[in-house]
Amino acid sequence: MCIRDRIYFRNWLDFLCEFVPQLLFFVSTFVYMTLCIFIKWGTNWKGRTRDAPAIVSQMVKMFSTAGEVEKPLWGDGSGQTNLQQFLFVIAIISVLAMLIPKPIVLFLKHFGNSSGRFHLLDDDGERRNSALAGRDGDKIGEELMHVLIETIEFVLGSLSHTASYLRLWALSLAHGRLSVVLFDMTVRNASNFLSGVLGFLMLCLLTFGILLCMDLLECCLHSLRLHWVEFQSKFYKGDGRPFAPLSFRESLDLYVLGRSEA
């Protein structure tokens, strides 16, 4: 969606200074983390479980020690260290590319427009155009602050959005433990056939009322979060044309007004 918006509106500055650095940042961090997860899953750690690295700790150490590896996923760790150092540099360059080039281009563009306008001024219009230049300068300052806030929000948001999926893991563990507790309270402690049947019915009712309904609510809330917090923040700007719903009354009024003016 982001790249389609940039190409459709021909906003090449945002394409080069936002989309490309953000893509490189994702590849150098979270795509690499996903790759490490699959490599760890596909490796036989039997007999050497202590050598298996913790992926989260490895990613934290990657940024805290500039790519050093304590427990390698493959080989002696030299190749993984070189790869992580390279990805660390790419991530830092990506953040700087989101933060620095766009304000410079906007400033140079504003400076060029201001120079061209002042060369065409006469004595009568000098004060008026100076006021316009002041407003343009304020707009450039707002744009610089906007770029800074967006860069910080993107980096922190990427971490928080990824960590937010831990809630699904925690809820899965909670549901698993809750199902064991419900089974112990209803079916396992049954002393005869009748109590077993009643316990099974209670287990079904409690499973539907607690586990299934909680799962539905969880899926609904997480879907809303994915759309409005994570998905929309990747491309939505909120500075387009206001939504104008279809109205037959307004359409007929405009038609009648056009006929009367003609």
Side-chain angles (χ1 to χ4, degrees):
M1 292 296 293
C2 180
I3 187 174
R4 290 180 61 187
D5 284 350
R6 301 296 186 268
I7 294 177
Y8 178 79
F9 292 105
R10 299 185 180 276
N11 195 344
W12 306 118
L13 180 61
D14 287 347
F15 177 80
L16 295 175
C17 298
E18 288 186 7
F19 173 75
V20 175
Q22 290 176 0
L23 180 63
L24 292 176
F25 182 83
F26 270 119
V27 171
S28 60
T29 54
F30 301 108
V31 174
Y32 172 69
M33 182 181 68
T34 306
L35 178 63
C36 290
I37 292 174
F38 281 104
I39 293 176
K40 183 178 179 180
W41 285 351
T43 303
N44 184 11
W45 300 101
K46 185 177 181 180
R48 52 190 186 98
T49 55
R50 294 184 178 181
D51 296 332
I55 301 300
V56 176
S57 301
Q58 176 180 288
M59 296 302 298
V60 172
K61 193 174 181 60
M62 171 181 168
F63 285 93
S64 61
T65 61
E68 294 184 5
V69 177
E70 182 177 359
K71 295 181 179 181
L73 280 170
W74 66 85
D76 57 354
S78 59
Q80 187 179 359
T81 300
N82 295 332
L83 176 61
Q84 289 193 169
Q85 290 175 348
F86 173 74
L87 295 177
F88 174 76
V89 173
I90 294 297
I92 298 300
I93 293 176
S94 300
V95 174
L96 296 177
M98 287 185 283
L99 188 62
I100 298 176
K102 186 176 180 179
I104 294 177
V105 173
L106 292 175
F107 176 78
L108 294 177
K109 183 179 180 180
H110 167 69
F111 181 76
N113 293 338
S114 299
S115 300
R117 181 170 59 243
F118 279 109
H119 283 303
L120 297 175
L121 292 181
D122 52 14
D123 295 336
D124 297 333
E126 183 175 356
R127 181 175 300 176
R128 178 177 60 83
N129 285 278
S130 297
L132 291 176
R135 288 197 295 269
D136 290 343
D138 295 338
K139 186 177 180 180
I140 290 297
E142 293 177 0
E143 192 69 30
L144 296 178
M145 185 61 64
H146 184 68
V147 170
L148 176 62
I149 293 174
E150 273 197 344
T151 302
I152 297 175
E153 182 182 2
F154 172 79
V155 176
L156 297 180
S158 300
L159 299 176
S160 64
H161 293 169
T162 303
S164 69
Y165 286 91
L166 293 177
R167 79 164 62 89
L168 299 179
W169 171 72
L171 288 174
S172 299
L173 291 180
H175 289 173
R177 186 57 188 171
L178 185 59
S179 63
V180 173
V181 172
L182 293 178
F183 182 80
D184 292 338
M185 293 175 59
T186 55
V187 177
R188 179 170 294 180
N189 294 329
S191 58
N192 50 50
F193 177 77
L194 180 60
S195 61
V197 172
L198 294 177
F200 178 75
L201 294 176
M202 288 295 298
L203 176 63
C204 294
L205 292 176
L206 292 174
T207 301
F208 174 79
I210 298 177
L211 297 182
L212 294 182
C213 291
M214 285 178 60
D215 277 334
L216 290 176
L217 180 62
E218 168 196 338
C219 294
C220 178
L221 293 178
H222 198 69
S223 177
L224 290 176
R225 172 181 165 76
L226 287 175
H227 280 83
W228 293 106
V229 179
E230 300 185 19
F231 178 71
Q232 295 280 17
S233 64
K234 298 298 183 297
F235 68 94
Y236 180 70
K237 294 294 184 181
D239 54 358
R241 296 186 298 271
F243 174 69
L246 176 63
S247 174
F248 292 104
R249 183 184 298 277
E250 292 183 2
S251 300
L252 291 175
D253 291 341
L254 291 176
Y255 175 76
V256 172
L257 180 61
R259 291 291 300 270
S260 62
E261 291 180 352

